[in-house]
Each structure stands twice: as structure tokens, then as C-alpha cells.
Amino acid sequence: MTTSRPAEFGDEKLVTLAQKGQSEAFEVLVERYKQKAYRIAFDFTRDREEAKDLSQEAFLRAFTHLKGFDLRAGFYTWFYRILVNLCLDYRRRRGRIAWEPFDEKTHMDGGQSEMAGAISSPDREAMSGEISRRVGEALQALSAKQRTAFILKNHQGLSIHEIAKMMQSAEGTVKTHIHRAVTTLRQRLAELV
Amino acid sequence: MVHHNDSLREACKEFEEDLVLYYYGECGAAERGRVEKHLERCASCQQFLADLQRLLPLTIKPDEPPQLFWQSYSKEMQRKLAPREQKGPWWRNLAALLRPWPVSALATALVLILALTLTFGKRVWRTQDLPPEEEGVMEILPMAENLEFFKAMDLLDSLELLEAGAGLENGSA
């Protein structure tokens, strides 16, 4: 007779067990989504410790309100709405977020690495820093909703449909936010590179 | 290669939003065909799309923390969840007390007991409180009180008659 391990359970079963008080089931959900949650929080905060704190706070809130959660909605979508709202609250409290210069070890993809290889290291760092600063200023120029929709689409690769559910907006509204965000960023960043 | 803002070519307005959706792969089949057909002959829209492909990846600053970070993350979460879980048994005990069927059964029993007490209890208490010989006295006492009342009423009637008589005399005088 085979017994299933909690790590093999689907989200719905884990939530049901957690609602009955089995926190080990919720810990499996944490392990399953912690990296995604962290990356979303990092996109908003640009700070590792803040991103960790925000994503953990989102998990704690989800655990606290789990009994009121309707399984039909899907844990993933419900949790990310909590996380995104926390991130938006964070931005409202913090105001402007200082944009840290790129760390060249984490930034480059293949094509850009080739380009960077042809330039001296100090110049490359200066250029990366300048790009990073300009990108930060450009993102700051967006409205909160434009920035949220853009980050969820551009950074996280979520579909328009998923973003609309998370932001509790119509899909047409989300498309408009993304369109305006992209055209603003293009105008502000066009002179780079 | 540097691009200047003043030479930034605008895309065709009616295609601009579709081009953004096309870049992200969010176009339906019909829209995709329409955009691709337009791109074949529009240099401005081609430039617009090329700018998106060049610039938008720059906005992503990936962060890949080391494994130690994730181990610490998991331990912290377990620690933070523990106090909330310890409250669980206390809640569960309270929830057990408040489960629907015992509550309604208990309430029904209490109502029945109260009804029975009110129905039979008064007679039982009274007969228990008073010995039989005194019960008769208790029944007579209210009658005695009523008699005094009626006597008082008779006196009042007399007073009214006297007053009426006095009024007549004053009127005739």
C-alpha cells in the first residue's frame, strides 16, 4: 500500500488539511511558492531583505485567513493577490525606492554578456549603473497600477487574464495599463544603449 | 549605438496597443495576422517593436539568492508559523464546544427544563411553603382586604352624597 507524501498533494488538498489545523500542509505550500513570491516582492522592493519580509508576511496573512478561503478560487491566485496588495502598500509607505546599481554577475544574459565583454570592466559597471538608475526613474514615472500591471506581465510573465484577476480589474483595463506603461518606458529609455 | 528621443518614431496609433500585446504574445490569431501583415509594410511600427525587444528586458533585474538564503527562509517561516499553530488547539477546543448540534441539543433541553419548572414548580413550591391549615388563611386574607376596600368605597359614596347635598343648599340659598 502506497501512502502519499504531503509534498505530492495538490494545492486544494493541502489547503483543506491546513484549514483543519495541519500547519505542516501549509509549510508545503510555502516551499512550493516561496521563490515565486520572493521574486514578485523583489520586483517591487529591489531589496533582498524587504522582499523576504514582504513575501513571508504574505504567507502569514494567508495562513491566518485560510479558514475563510474559498477553494474554488485557487490558492495561487488568492495568495498572489495578498502579496501584490502588500507590495503596493509597501510602495505607498516607502515612496520613491532607490534603484540599486546592477550587479553585473546577476544582470547579463548571453547577448549582453558578449557586448559587455568588449568594454572595460569599470566602463561596463558605470554603464550598468546608469542603465539601472534610468530604469528606476522610468518605473517611478508610472502610476501604481501601470507599474503593477507591467511588473506582473513583464517580470513575472503572468497572462492578462491572471493579472486581471489579481488586480480585480477588467482585462481591457489591464491591457491599457500595460500599453501606457510600455510606451512611457520606451520614451524614457530609448536613448539608452 | 545611441538613439535620440527626437528621432523616436511613433507607431501607428491604431496598432500601438496591439503591438504591445503582440510583443507579449497576448494577441489572438486574428489580431496576430493583422499586426504581422501591417508590420510587413510599416517601418515606424517595425522600429517600435524593435525598441520594445531591445529595451524592456533591461527593466528586469533578476535576483538569485544562494541556497543558504532559502534554507534560512524556510526556517524563519516555520518559526513564524509556530505561535499561530499553538493557538490552534485552544481554538479547536472552543470550536468543539460551539459545534452546532450539541449547542442546539443543550438549548432545547434547557428550554424544556425551564418550561416544566414554570408549569409545575409554582404549585409545588406553594404547597411546600405553606402547611395546609395556613393555606385557608392565605385564601381568606385577600378577601378581607377586599372587604376593607369595599367599606372604603361605601364611605366615599357617602361623602359624595354629602357634598352633593351641600351644593344644593348653597345653590338654593
Side-chain angles (χ1 to χ4, degrees), chain B residues 2 15 22 80 98 115 122 135 144 166:
Chain B
V2 175
F15 281 94
Y22 179 81
K80 288 178 180 178
L98 294 176
K122 196 172 179 183
E135 194 175 331

Side-chain angles (χ1 to χ4, degrees), chain A residues 179 183 186-187, chain B residues 10-19 34 38 42 44-45 48:
Chain A
H179 168 223
T183 51
R186 175 182 175 256
Q187 284 180 342
Chain B
E10 295 298 327
C12 300
K13 283 298 169 193
E14 64 272 25
F15 281 94
E16 196 176 73
E17 184 169 319
D18 287 338
L19 284 167
R34 190 173 75 94
H38 177 74
C42 180
S44 297
C45 288
F48 180 87

Side-chain angles (χ1 to χ4, degrees), chain A residues 53 56 60, chain B residues 75-84:
Chain A
D53 289 343
Q56 288 183 342
L60 290 173
Chain B
K75 282 181 185 167
E76 271 187 55
M77 275 308 306
Q78 286 171 1
R79 184 175 49 79
K80 288 178 180 178
L81 284 170
R84 293 164 198 251

Side-chain angles (χ1 to χ4, degrees), chain B residues 74-133:
Chain B
S74 298
K75 282 181 185 167
E76 271 187 55
M77 275 308 306
Q78 286 171 1
R79 184 175 49 79
K80 288 178 180 178
L81 284 170
R84 293 164 198 251
E85 186 197 3
Q86 282 168 9
K87 288 178 185 175
W90 180 82
W91 264 103
R92 282 202 286 270
N93 292 336
L94 185 60
L97 287 175
L98 294 176
R99 278 200 201 107
W101 69 262
V103 172
S104 57
L106 187 61
T108 305
L110 282 173
V111 169
L112 278 173
I113 290 169
L114 192 62
L116 288 169
T117 302
L118 288 173
T119 304
F120 299 109
K122 196 172 179 183
R123 187 183 300 174
V124 170
W125 292 337
R126 199 164 59 180
T127 56
Q128 282 179 349
D129 286 346
L130 298 170
E133 57 274 16

Side-chain angles (χ1 to χ4, degrees), chain A residues 175, chain B residues 18 21-22 24-36:
Chain A
K175 288 179 183 178
Chain B
D18 287 338
L21 297 175
Y22 179 81
Y24 285 118
E26 288 278 357
C27 274
E31 289 81 13
R32 190 164 54 246
R34 190 173 75 94
V35 168
E36 286 173 351

Side-chain angles (χ1 to χ4, degrees), chain A residues 98-117:
Chain A
W99 193 270
E100 296 297 323
F102 272 19
D103 177 349
E104 64 174 7
K105 292 177 189 173
T106 59
H107 162 60
M108 302 295 187
D109 66 3
Q112 289 173 312
S113 295
E114 288 173 12
M115 180 190 73

